[in-house]
């Protein structure tokens, strides 16, 4: 497939924290332009601390470096709410393609088993699973989860502004929300992969917004229509943000989720 050098926009969200409304609205306008195009952009000004990002990356690398039998002690199959370790090739995102060559770990809002929502069996509500072998894992990822949640809530205010709505429009949807921190590891691929085998097959996300912290390896591609697959080359200190299917539903497909792999 031909690769193009078309680039995704870079949006500084700092203005969303301003007390001056015009500065918040200006970020909303930048978001609108990106969302009407592909709904993919790099985010700067997020204020997620370098310390918590580095600590999270260290925790992730330490976990995926464990022997398989230790990782399986935290197997997602034991969870009632999709938390814990997902083994290699545990997901197939692209219909008809081989299973994705990745392993993952799911973390969400920590709720005890006696919480009424958990007892009612609500989707994705419940306790996390934490690996006993790594004492810092829980603390470091809990801090990181909270920081990302705070950024995402501010970004939702920006999306409201981008749609010409009051910036508090989505507040009810960003209270006790279902948010997942998903850690992913893509091991080195075989020199002779199966036909169509990828680390992650092409798909759209099913939620509202996704914030992706890349390392420096690269690999993410976004479908640009006539431009083909666009490389989302890693940029230091940024998140790649994309819209999920929920935003398409809420906006009557004015904003859409875009395929990526």
């Amino acid at each position: 497939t031909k690769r193009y050098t078309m680039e995704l926009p870079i949006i500084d969200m700092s203005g969303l924290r301003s007390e001056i409304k015009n500065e918040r609205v200006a970020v909303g306008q930048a978001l609108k332009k990106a969302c009407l195009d592909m709904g993919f952009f790099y985010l700067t000004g997020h204020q997620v601390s370098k310390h918590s990002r580095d600590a999270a990356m260290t925790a992730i690398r330490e976990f995926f470096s464990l022997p398989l039998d230790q990782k399986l002690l935290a197997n997602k199959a034991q969870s009632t709410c999709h938390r814990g370790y997902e083994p290699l090739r545990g997901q197939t995102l692209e219909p008809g393609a081989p299973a994705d060559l990745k392993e993952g770990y799911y973390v969400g809002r920590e709720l005890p088993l006696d919480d009424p929502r958990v007892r009612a069996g609500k989707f994705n509500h419940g306790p996390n699973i934490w690996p006993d072998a790594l004492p810092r894992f829980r603390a470091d990822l809990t801090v990181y989860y909270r920081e990302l949640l705070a950024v995402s809530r501010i970004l939702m205010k920006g999306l409201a502004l981008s749609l010409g709505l009051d910036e508090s429009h989505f507040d009810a949807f960003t209270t006790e929300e279902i948010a997942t921190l998903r850690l992913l590891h893509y091991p080195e691929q075989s020199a002779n992969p199966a036909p169509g085998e990828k680390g992650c097959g092409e798909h759209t996300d099913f939620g509202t917004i996704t914030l992706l912290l890349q390392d420096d390896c690269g690999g993410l591609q976004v479908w640009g229509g006539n431009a083909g697959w666009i490389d989302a080359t890693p940029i230091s200190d940024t998140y790649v943000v994309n819209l999920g299917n929920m935003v398409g539903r809420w906006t009557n497909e004015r904003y859409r989720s875009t395929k990526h792999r």
Side-chain angles (χ1 to χ4, degrees):
T1 305
K2 185 173 182 182
R3 293 189 183 184
Y4 287 71
T5 54
M6 181 176 168
E7 293 178 347
L8 303 176
I10 300 172
I11 296 178
D12 182 350
M13 70 176 285
S14 303
L16 293 176
R17 297 186 178 88
S18 172
E19 292 181 8
I20 301 166
K21 183 161 187 184
N22 283 352
E23 293 182 0
R24 303 196 301 274
V25 169
V27 179
Q29 288 302 305
L31 288 168
K32 178 179 181 178
K33 187 178 178 189
C35 293
L36 287 172
D37 183 18
M38 286 187 293
F40 258 92
F41 53 91
Y42 294 97
L43 189 72
T44 65
H46 47 75
Q47 293 187 6
V48 179
S49 71
K50 184 175 186 304
H51 175 78
S52 69
R53 281 180 285 146
D54 288 349
M57 278 293 194
T58 297
I60 293 164
R61 290 191 178 101
E62 285 178 348
F63 177 80
F64 288 123
S65 298
L66 291 172
L68 180 60
D69 60 342
Q70 286 198 43
K71 288 187 282 194
L72 287 173
L73 293 174
N75 197 335
K76 190 163 79 79
Q78 306 165 29
S79 173
T80 57
C81 55
H82 306 281
R83 307 289 172 79
Y85 175 61
E86 183 174 67
L88 202 63
R89 296 188 173 89
Q91 186 176 44
T92 306
L93 283 170
E94 186 175 326
D100 295 345
L101 193 61
K102 67 179 191 297
E103 55 183 343
Y105 202 101
Y106 293 74
V107 176
R109 184 184 300 282
E110 186 74 52
L111 291 173
L113 290 172
D114 60 359
D115 185 285
R117 292 162 294 182
V118 181
R119 296 219 314 257
K122 288 194 77 171
F123 173 76
N124 220 15
H125 284 66
N128 288 300
I129 296 177
W130 303 107
D132 294 333
L134 302 173
R136 292 288 318 159
F137 189 91
R138 177 175 186 162
D140 289 340
L141 289 176
T142 298
V143 168
Y144 185 58
Y145 179 87
R146 286 179 187 150
E147 287 199 36
L148 283 180
L149 208 50
V151 171
S152 300
R153 287 170 174 167
I154 295 170
L155 197 52
M156 289 302 293
K157 290 180 182 293
L159 277 183
L161 288 171
S162 81
L163 290 159
L165 301 167
D166 186 275
E167 55 202 298
S168 64
H169 185 83
F170 293 115
D171 284 4
F173 296 95
T174 57
T175 305
E176 296 285 307
E177 64 272 65
I178 298 174
T180 300
L181 172 60
R182 191 174 182 200
L183 322 173
L184 291 169
H185 171 230
Y186 300 91
E188 217 171 296
Q189 296 193 11
S190 160
N192 299 297
E197 184 173 59
K198 300 179 216 37
C200 179
E202 66 179 67
H203 65 287
T204 59
D205 291 354
F206 62 79
T208 308
I209 53 172
T210 299
L211 278 71
L212 172 70
L213 179 65
Q214 300 190 84
D215 59 14
D216 56 6
C217 292
L220 173 65
Q221 292 185 321
V222 179
W223 180 245
N226 292 335
W229 289 103
I230 299 162
D231 291 323
T233 307
I235 299 177
S236 179
D237 296 329
T238 69
Y239 284 86
V240 175
V241 178
N242 66 280
L243 304 180
N245 302 339
M246 181 73 85
V247 172
R249 191 69 170 270
W250 278 347
T251 62
N252 206 22
E253 299 302 319
R254 184 180 181 200
Y255 288 176
R256 296 175 303 280
S257 51
T258 296
K259 285 192 303 185
H260 51 287
R261 66 183 188 182

